[in-house]
Every structure is written in C-alpha cells, then in structure tokens.
Amino acid sequence: MAEKSYEMNHSAQKNRREDFQNCRFPAEWEPQWGVMLTWPHEETDWQPYLAEITETFVLMSREIAAREHLLIVVPKAEIVPEEVRQMERVVIFECPTDDTWARDHGPIILKNLDTPHAENLWLDFRFNGWGEKFPAENDNRIVGKLAEEIGQTPNLPPFTLENHQDFVLEGGSIESDGKGTVFTTSQCLLAPNRNQPLSREEIERELKRRLRAERVVWLDHGNLVGDDTDGHIDTIVRCAPDDTLLYVGCDDPDDEQFADFQALERQLKALRTADGKPFRLLRLPMPRKMTDDGYRLPATYANFLVINGAVLVPVYAQPENDAEALRIVAQAFPDREIVPIDARTIVRQHGSVHCLTMQISV
C-alpha cells in the first residue's frame, strides 16, 4: 500500500511541474530551514563503534540545533539519545534505513522563485549505493516517504516532490555556486552502474534540465584513495561566496595521490567563471595518511558543512593540518563561526561531516 501511495504522490506532482520552471539550485551558504541527519543504529555498518559515532552525531546535533532545525531520520525514535530528542528544533521522522549518508539519499532542493504557493521543489533522485556497491533500498525510499507523510510530520517546511527515480544522482557528487553553475566529477558520474549507457554529453544535458542549471563544470582529477563514491566532488572541491573554490592540495611527491591532485590543481587554475574570470582559489592541506585495518582512509578537510552562522569542519587530531584547514575555511566564510568536528570515527566508514548531512533550504 505504501508503494502505491508513493507512486500516486509522484503522479500528482507531475501535473504541477509547470509551476516550478523558474527554480534555482541554491548555494549551501544561503539561508536554511535546517539539516537532515540519518541516525546510526545497530543494523548499520557503525555497529562495531556505535557508541563513538553516536557521540559524534550528538556533537553535530548540538551545533546544528543551536542555529536551525534538525530533521532526524531513524527507524525508531528511542534510538536517538534523550538529550537530542529534547532539543527545541529537532524533528524526528521514523523510517527504515540502511545507512547514514544523508548527503546521498536526502533530497536535492531547488529554490522556488515565483510560484504562488512558495513551496520549494524537492528532487527525489535514485540512490543505488554508489553504483550498487552497498544495500540502498530503504535509504532510496526515505524522500518519498517524507513526502507521503509530511502532513503527519509537524514543523517540516512545505514542499513539492518531483520524481527523478529514473536517474542516479548523489548529493555529494554535485556542487552549486547558486548562480547557475553546477560542478561535478567525471570519475563519479561516468562510473559503472550509475546512468549507463548515457554519454558524458547526455548526462550533462540531464543535469542541466533536472537541476535547472545553465552550465556544468566537469573536474577530471582528484579521486581520494579509499573513497567508495568513485570521487564525489564534496571530498575535493567546494564552492564558497565570491566565486571562491576551496580545494585539496597535495605537496608530498611520495604520496600515491600526488600526481592526480597536481593535475586537479592545474585544471582549477585554468577554469573560468560564467563571466570569464578566474576563480578565487583557496588551497586546503591534505591530512596525513590515515589507515584502518591496513587500508587508507579518504580523510579530507573539504568535506565541511555550511549552516546558518557557522561552518562545521572535519578535523583529524593533526594539530598543524587541522589549524591550517580551519584558517583557510575561515577565509572563505569570514562572517561565520568555524566549528571543528572530530571526524576520526566518521572517516572509518570512508566519509566525513558533509557526507552525513543534507541541508534543507528555505
């Protein structure tokens, strides 16, 4: 019955698409209603260190809920610690989940510019576990279930859902400057089991159409070793105000990633804005090599989250690198508090702060 309701919901939304042609993919630093977290539990891969990752989630919850709403998706509300459940701006939505990477199974939201009902448009793309690497059936249903039950979920901002389940797209694979340009990586969007047999040109056309974008900038280098996502852009290059790009650099010729990140830097220096000007480039350090069970972890300072009034920046107990990363992020966001988040537990599952979150625009 739930599946039928989900299909009917999407069918109804198709009749309203003409209301949403004047939409814009906002930048992350624009005003937000809140942030979505999908909470860890014993049935996820976090089970061996569930206490540690729960502590990290509580810390992130405090920082987010102090500034905006926090939407928590979790199979049962009692899994969430009492401290978090009692926070004033927290909204809990009970729903089966596979994992916790809200950046990739959460809604991609377009800002509605001129329709009378003023609802933003939530795009429900298909999430297939980063190219069918991991189970994702429950996570792929979360956005649709939110749409079905929005009337029973108090305090969630009104939205209209648009079905894009015919196209695989993860939120971590795209960045928006808020002005019509979308950034992505060829290594991810052209990776196996995403949208084959579409060509790069066909995928670019679909991105422009579905995201209402004017242009797509493809980056071809900078894949972190240990990254399960095939090279999400939010691990290597991030947009910031005033045509600024923050990116991860690599200075160690003995690092196996050195040549690829040098090529990334050259490509970024050659890029131009829509107005034909060079981007302002801010170079983040590469964390020292981190391993777990002999495998390299994709630690990165680029995986920060921008929220109202603050930026949550992953740190890795590397004092010199951590301090440099915080300083650089502060240059990009001088009007926001820079908040370090210990990401050493998060990175054990090959992600970081931004990967665990999805902002909800107003």
Side-chain angles (χ1 to χ4, degrees):
M1 185 65 180
E3 288 300 316
K4 182 178 180 182
S5 173
Y6 180 49
E7 292 172 4
M8 289 175 64
N9 182 292
H10 281 308
S11 177
Q13 304 308 335
K14 289 179 181 178
N15 296 328
R16 297 178 61 185
R17 282 192 179 182
E18 64 274 10
D19 294 339
F20 289 91
Q21 290 311 302
N22 192 15
C23 288
R24 180 175 60 84
F25 188 9
E28 190 168 306
W29 57 85
E30 296 183 42
Q32 299 174 9
W33 172 86
V35 167
M36 173 178 159
L37 284 177
T38 304
W39 205 266
H41 54 85
E42 290 186 350
E43 301 303 316
T44 65
D45 290 340
W46 298 107
Q47 194 276 333
Y49 28 89
L50 187 58
E52 292 91 336
I53 193 60
T54 298
E55 183 178 344
T56 303
F57 267 67
V58 171
L59 173 59
M60 292 171 60
S61 297
R62 289 191 197 119
E63 297 295 343
I64 294 167
R67 298 169 174 88
E68 56 189 80
H69 289 88
L70 175 61
L71 170 64
I72 295 175
V73 178
V74 65
K76 294 185 181 300
E78 56 263 31
I79 293 173
V80 180
E82 180 73 12
E83 174 193 346
V84 178
R85 281 184 278 150
Q86 294 302 318
M87 291 178 183
E88 184 176 353
R89 295 189 179 96
V90 169
V91 178
I92 294 181
F93 179 72
E94 293 188 339
C95 180
T97 64
D98 299 301
D99 212 326
T100 56
W101 305 106
R103 179 61 45 179
D104 297 333
H105 61 245
I108 294 173
I109 298 175
L110 303 187
K111 190 169 183 60
N112 176 15
L113 299 179
D114 61 7
T115 57
H117 41 78
E119 296 174 2
N120 282 338
L121 190 62
W122 287 29
L123 308 184
D124 186 15
F125 289 95
R126 182 157 61 94
F127 174 59
N128 70 346
W130 308 285
E132 302 176 1
K133 295 185 184 73
F134 302 98
E137 186 175 340
N138 286 322
D139 289 344
N140 185 49
R141 292 174 174 165
I142 290 173
V143 177
K145 289 181 179 294
L146 276 165
E148 287 177 14
E149 301 184 28
I150 187 171
Q152 289 75 49
T153 307
N155 301 320
L156 201 62
F159 64 90
T160 294
L161 192 68
E162 189 170 272
N163 181 13
H164 292 269
Q165 285 286 308
D166 61 333
F167 193 80
V168 176
L169 188 68
E170 299 129 22
S173 71
I174 52 176
E175 276 281 301
S176 173
D177 67 353
K179 300 186 293 185
T181 297
V182 171
F183 297 79
T184 192
T185 64
S186 55
Q187 57 262 40
C188 177
L189 265 66
L190 302 181
N193 302 316
R194 294 303 211 283
N195 290 300
Q196 286 78 14
L198 296 184
S199 67
R200 173 167 163 158
E201 292 72 22
E202 290 168 328
I203 290 173
E204 177 170 328
R205 185 164 59 246
E206 290 301 317
L207 289 176
K208 288 180 178 178
R209 180 175 70 86
R210 296 170 191 258
L211 298 175
R212 281 67 162 179
E214 296 175 9
R215 70 170 187 153
V216 176
V217 173
W218 294 81
L219 300 176
D220 304 308
H221 306 281
N223 193 1
L224 290 167
V225 175
D227 179 12
D228 292 327
T229 70
D230 301 308
H232 274 184
I233 195 165
D234 72 345
T235 65
I236 59 169
V237 177
R238 301 294 306 283
C239 293
D242 302 318
D243 292 326
T244 299
L245 297 178
L246 296 99
Y247 71 100
V248 176
C250 185
D251 295 317
D252 182 4
D254 295 327
D255 191 320
E256 60 193 310
Q257 305 174 129
F258 178 74
D260 196 29
F261 276 83
Q262 290 287 303
L264 171 66
E265 189 167 43
R266 289 193 296 270
Q267 187 175 13
L268 291 172
K269 289 179 177 179
L271 287 183
R272 294 295 179 265
T273 68
D275 297 331
K277 301 175 183 177
F279 284 93
R280 176 193 181 209
L281 299 179
L282 297 178
R283 194 177 196 261
L284 293 164
M286 177 77 71
R288 290 196 313 274
K289 184 176 181 179
M290 300 175 65
T291 61
D292 187 47
D293 197 24
Y295 293 95
R296 184 164 185 167
L297 300 174
T300 172
Y301 294 110
N303 206 245
F304 55 80
L305 172 70
V306 185
I307 60 176
N308 295 339
V311 185
L312 308 189
V313 182
V315 293
Y316 302 97
Q318 300 180 13
E320 186 175 340
N321 284 330
D322 291 351
E324 176 69 2
L326 295 172
R327 184 185 70 81
I328 296 298
V329 174
Q331 285 185 340
F333 298 96
D335 58 340
R336 295 175 195 249
E337 182 180 2
I338 307 302
V339 181
I341 300 291
D342 188 338
R344 286 176 292 172
T345 301
I346 308 174
V347 79
R348 292 180 69 180
Q349 283 297 322
H350 302 262
S352 200
V353 172
H354 195 250
C355 300
L356 290 176
T357 61
M358 176 55 83
Q359 72 276 359
I360 299 174
S361 305
V362 294

